[in-house]
Amino acid sequence: MMHQEFKWQLKSGEITLGRDPLVMGILNVTPDSFSDGGDFTDRDKIIAQAQKMVAEGAHILDIGGESTRPGSEAVAAQEELDRVLPAIDALKESGITAPISIDSYKAIVGQQAMEAGAEIINDVWGFQRDPELADVAAHYSCPAILMHWDPDRDREKDLIDEMNRFFEKSLQIAENAGISKSQIALDPGFGFAKNFDENYELLRRVDELHALGYPLLIGTSRKSMFGKLLGNTPKERVAATAASTVLAYGKGAHIFRVHDVRENRDALQVAKAMLYGPPPPKDV
């Protein structure tokens, strides 16, 4: 499948979403995330991890201050701000220039993160938990990633049809707020209110979401869909994640949100060479 091309306008410049896959490095500054909870709550560790991911090829850094793993407890806005704002400040002060995405569904967190230097909003509820976050994205004219998370969907109906219905509602909220269509990406939400079989059905059919006309972000990194298949722990799921990344890229996806940047970047470069032809060979 040839990749559709889109362009995002950020404060720091333009990003093209097309045949060149973009890697988004996950930087959770939480004590309880399913895979890396507590690993990056210290300023020096946050900076070191961000520098590592950028050096390994991350194009965007996604900072999250509230875990969304199954069974996690909601975090008050102030506590979330107390986690993410120092992290954004630390990255800016350390000279990291990769665009920062704020992984939050709360308008107040999105607004203050944008003021601190974030350039992208990544909402796991697709503007449907706190629609005022759409107003924040419109105010800053920033890209917004809208994820599918619908615990109440009709499981007797077709999965993709239900996802399209959800996204149409999210996109209407975005349109009402005045967000440009060119500043939106969709995330099918692997693992979010989807069972084992549904996650693999989604991976197989993810290209059907292109009918909506937006770039796709894929977030399968270290997910339980691999653990339930392979019987391994989150940090042992790097190869499985890379396999899903390559499959989704082959189905036209654009952005890949991962913990393990180098491995997924390498896998994507092989996939790109296969689809579009390799660049000149490097000396080894």
Side-chain angles (χ1 to χ4, degrees), residues 8 15-24 57-60 249 253-257 268:
W8 271 356
I15 289 183
T16 298
L17 292 77
R19 65 171 58 185
D20 289 326
L22 299 184
V23 176
M24 174 186 278
H59 303 90
I60 302 167
Y249 175 75
H254 299 84
I255 309 171
F256 303 87
R257 183 179 180 274
L268 285 163

Side-chain angles (χ1 to χ4, degrees), residues 24-280:
M24 174 186 278
I26 299 170
L27 187 53
N28 287 321
V29 290
T30 57
D32 58 345
S33 290
F34 80 97
S35 176
D36 54 359
D39 288 354
F40 309 113
T41 55
D42 171 83
R43 177 186 172 88
D44 290 341
K45 290 180 179 179
I46 290 170
I47 293 172
Q49 178 66 4
Q51 290 173 333
K52 176 178 181 287
M53 289 194 293
V54 170
E56 291 181 348
H59 303 90
I60 302 167
L61 299 175
D62 190 48
I63 294 181
E66 178 176 352
S67 174
T68 52
R69 66 176 175 78
S72 61
E73 295 186 4
V75 172
Q78 187 57 55
E79 184 174 357
E80 188 176 348
L81 287 166
D82 290 343
R83 294 172 180 177
V84 300
L85 294 183
I88 295 171
D89 289 342
L91 299 191
K92 290 296 182 180
E93 291 171 5
S94 69
I96 289 173
T97 58
I100 295 171
S101 167
I102 179 64
D103 179 2
S104 180
Y105 59 85
K106 301 183 183 79
I108 185 63
V109 176
Q111 188 271 330
Q112 293 198 29
M114 296 300 293
E115 286 294 320
E119 298 186 70
I120 300 167
I121 287 173
N122 181 15
D123 182 0
V124 295
W125 287 101
F127 289 156
Q128 295 189 36
R129 184 77 172 265
D130 185 354
E132 290 185 5
L133 184 56
D135 297 322
V136 174
H139 176 77
Y140 290 95
S141 300
C142 69
I145 300 161
L146 310 181
M147 196 189 82
H148 176 268
W149 189 359
D150 186 6
D152 300 321
R153 67 182 167 84
D154 188 343
R155 294 179 181 273
E156 297 300 315
K157 294 183 178 179
D158 180 77
L159 174 62
I160 300 299
D161 287 347
E162 283 293 280
M163 292 181 71
N164 284 333
R165 181 190 57 76
F166 177 94
F167 279 134
E168 286 168 2
K169 183 176 179 181
S170 292
L171 292 167
Q172 188 61 58
I173 295 170
E175 181 180 345
N176 292 345
I179 299 172
S180 170
K181 290 183 177 181
S182 63
Q183 294 286 77
I184 293 173
L186 303 180
D187 176 353
F190 284 91
F192 287 82
K194 299 171 185 72
N195 63 33
F196 181 67
D197 291 337
E198 288 171 336
N199 281 307
Y200 284 96
E201 178 185 356
L202 178 55
L203 186 58
R204 185 175 68 252
R205 300 178 60 194
V206 71
D207 54 325
E208 295 178 34
L209 295 173
H210 290 306
L212 292 170
Y214 295 88
L216 296 181
L217 179 146
I218 302 299
T220 56
S221 189
R222 301 183 181 179
K223 290 286 177 82
S224 64
M225 61 185 285
F226 306 128
K228 292 175 182 176
L229 180 70
L230 304 171
N232 57 13
T233 65
K235 292 184 179 180
E236 295 173 328
R237 301 169 190 166
V238 182
T241 300
S244 67
T245 293
V246 166
L247 288 168
Y249 175 75
K251 290 180 176 291
H254 299 84
I255 309 171
F256 303 87
R257 183 179 180 274
V258 299
H259 298 85
D260 307 287
V261 171
R262 182 183 299 278
E263 294 85 351
N264 284 276
R265 180 208 64 185
D266 287 355
L268 285 163
Q269 289 305 307
V270 173
K272 182 189 172 191
M274 180 189 71
L275 285 181
Y276 297 108

